[in-house]
Amino acid sequence: MPSGRALPGDSRPGDSRPGDSRPGTGPVALDLVSAEFLAPRLRKIAFGSVVIGIAVAAALAFVAPVWLAVLIGVVVGGPAAVSGWLGLRRRVWLDGPLLCSRGLRTRRLRMPEVVTAELTIRTAGIDQISLRLYDGRTPVVVPLALYTKGGGRELPILALRTLADSLWTTELVPAAAIASVLVDQLRAEARDAGLDERPLYRAVDLVRSKGRTPQATLTDREVAQLLD
């Protein structure tokens, strides 16, 4: 299973804006799915939702007060349009010691000041494992991998390596342990190892085997088990 490009039709970032993952461009993207891959679909969703909302409002305006027609149009088309817009904005990247996450607003934390580092797992039709970091002021979540039956998507090698190096700058033992897990994951991806040899997949399997669903946070002991 190729890493960071696991499903057909994926594409790499093509420019050097903040979050680009190419060497030598400064900030390193930590997006599990590239912005270029998602953008066309999200634009269609946002535009289509706006069109539907306007059409509903226009149709209702003939039989209802204009303010009510507009309100219903916003209710019908607004949520999907906002969701598409947020998807277009969503980015995660490392810029030196700063880990940045952009959604409705941009969050920034300094990696050397991190006081909490945890691996969290959400199990459903698609299983997701994420890194949750907190510096005492700002929480940031970095999705590391998505898995389905027999496949999935993982952070590419450069992103994993940069994230692991950044975790080593903290003074937290859990952060160092997670960095070691990411290094093992990087090695597994580099040799195109099977799923059972990949620490991030084993973490999901560990949670499932213990029945800790649909959400769980790995203990320090469980993180250490991934290194065995």
Side-chain angles (χ1 to χ4, degrees):
M1 181 184 65
S3 60
R5 57 187 189 281
L7 302 178
D10 188 18
S11 62
R12 297 279 186 171
D15 55 39
S16 60
R17 64 184 170 222
D20 194 345
S21 62
R22 294 177 302 160
T25 57
V28 176
L30 302 181
D31 297 312
L32 197 53
V33 182
S34 69
E36 284 74 13
F37 178 69
L38 288 177
R41 304 181 187 189
L42 292 173
R43 289 193 187 101
K44 287 181 181 179
I45 291 173
F47 179 75
S49 299
V50 170
V51 170
I52 291 172
I54 292 174
V56 169
L60 289 176
F62 289 103
V63 296
V66 173
W67 69 267
L68 181 59
V70 171
L71 177 61
I72 294 175
V74 170
V75 170
V76 171
V82 171
S83 177
W85 176 74
L86 286 176
L88 288 169
R89 280 185 53 82
R90 190 166 289 119
R91 300 287 188 278
V92 184
W93 71 93
L94 265 169
D95 189 0
L98 291 177
L99 176 62
C100 308
S101 175
R102 189 179 72 187
L104 187 60
R105 62 186 181 89
T106 300
R107 298 179 177 182
R108 296 179 177 85
L109 64 76
R110 289 183 57 83
M111 292 296 289
E113 298 175 5
V114 163
V115 297
T116 301
E118 299 173 321
L119 289 178
T120 63
I121 296 172
R122 185 182 67 209
T123 54
I126 298 177
D127 301 326
Q128 176 173 306
I129 178 168
S130 303
L131 172 62
R132 184 168 62 197
L133 299 170
Y134 182 60
D135 65 353
R137 299 177 300 275
T138 305
V140 173
V141 175
V142 182
L144 300 175
L146 295 172
Y147 294 110
T148 59
K149 292 183 179 179
R153 181 183 300 277
E154 299 162 326
L155 277 182
I157 288 175
L158 176 61
L160 279 175
R161 185 185 70 195
T162 306
L163 185 55
D165 289 345
S166 190
L167 284 170
W168 284 114
T169 66
T170 75
E171 298 181 356
L172 287 178
V173 172
I178 292 172
S180 297
V181 170
L182 297 185
V183 169
D184 281 1
Q185 175 75 19
L186 187 153
R187 291 169 178 162
E189 289 189 23
R191 68 175 188 273
D192 201 22
L195 284 177
D196 292 341
E197 299 178 63
R198 299 183 180 224
L200 296 182
Y201 181 81
R202 293 206 308 270
V204 174
D205 195 47
L206 174 65
V207 167
R208 280 193 170 278
S209 67
K210 293 185 176 182
R212 295 171 57 197
T213 59
Q215 289 189 323
T217 298
L218 294 188
T219 65
D220 292 344
R221 177 174 295 182
E222 288 170 336
V223 172
Q225 289 176 10
L226 302 177
L227 300 171
D228 293 342

